[in-house]
Amino acid sequence: MLAPRGRRLGVDVGTVRIGVAVCDPDGILATPVETVARPDDRTAVERLAALVAEYEALEVIVGLPRDLRGEESFAAQAVRAFADVLAAAIDPVPIVFVDERMSTASAARSLRAAGRDARSSRGVIDQAAAVAILQGWLDSGL
């Protein structure tokens, strides 16, 4: 069954910042949107809910950290707790969890290869990780 046409948001939840990406309505290409500061969960959830509304997202794809064995890490528990709060704020838009192993490391490597300094590019790295999460989900055909 084909997924319905519409935009999806990709989200890379970090303890300090949250990277956000969006795809085109045909679900072909993920692009960066912004890096949301996370001074507290309420502020971050409010901004993410506004982005869900702005882009009329059908789903929010959230990266779930796993260890190299594929098991959920301690960080995954924190992401799930944050996603529970987000889910309540964006209901009825569903949240879909996807394995995000190495998305941030991969994004940082790509930016370094492009000549960007990792320290000055932290917000961009978060967005690039969100793009990697969303693009991986799109490419998987889910």
Side-chain angles (χ1 to χ4, degrees):
M1 180 176 157
L2 292 174
R5 188 174 188 276
R7 294 179 181 266
R8 273 85 176 162
L9 285 185
V11 178
D12 178 46
V13 179
T15 56
V16 177
R17 292 173 304 278
I18 299 170
V20 182
V22 68
C23 70
D24 60 284
D26 293 319
I28 296 170
L29 183 64
T31 56
V33 172
E34 72 178 72
T35 301
V36 174
R38 190 176 174 190
D40 56 70
D41 286 355
R42 183 186 56 78
T43 302
V45 165
E46 285 175 358
R47 181 62 190 141
L48 289 171
L51 289 169
V52 167
E54 177 182 339
Y55 287 100
E56 299 176 347
L58 298 181
E59 295 172 300
V60 176
I61 313 305
V62 175
L64 192 63
R66 296 183 181 272
D67 62 24
L68 293 176
R69 293 177 300 201
E71 297 172 4
E72 288 191 18
S73 65
F74 175 74
Q77 295 172 12
V79 169
R80 282 190 184 276
F82 179 82
D84 286 346
V85 176
L86 178 59
I90 64 172
D91 186 51
V93 176
I95 290 180
V96 177
F97 292 103
V98 298
D99 184 352
E100 72 145 27
R101 265 180 283 187
M102 312 298 240
S103 62
T104 302
S106 174
R109 270 194 310 278
S110 295
L111 288 170
R112 275 194 305 276
R116 300 282 304 256
D117 174 55
R119 177 166 287 194
S120 64
S121 301
R122 286 188 179 144
V124 176
I125 289 171
D126 296 320
Q127 290 177 39
V131 167
I133 289 164
L134 182 55
Q135 191 66 54
W137 182 84
L138 293 169
D139 292 346
S140 73
L142 299 174

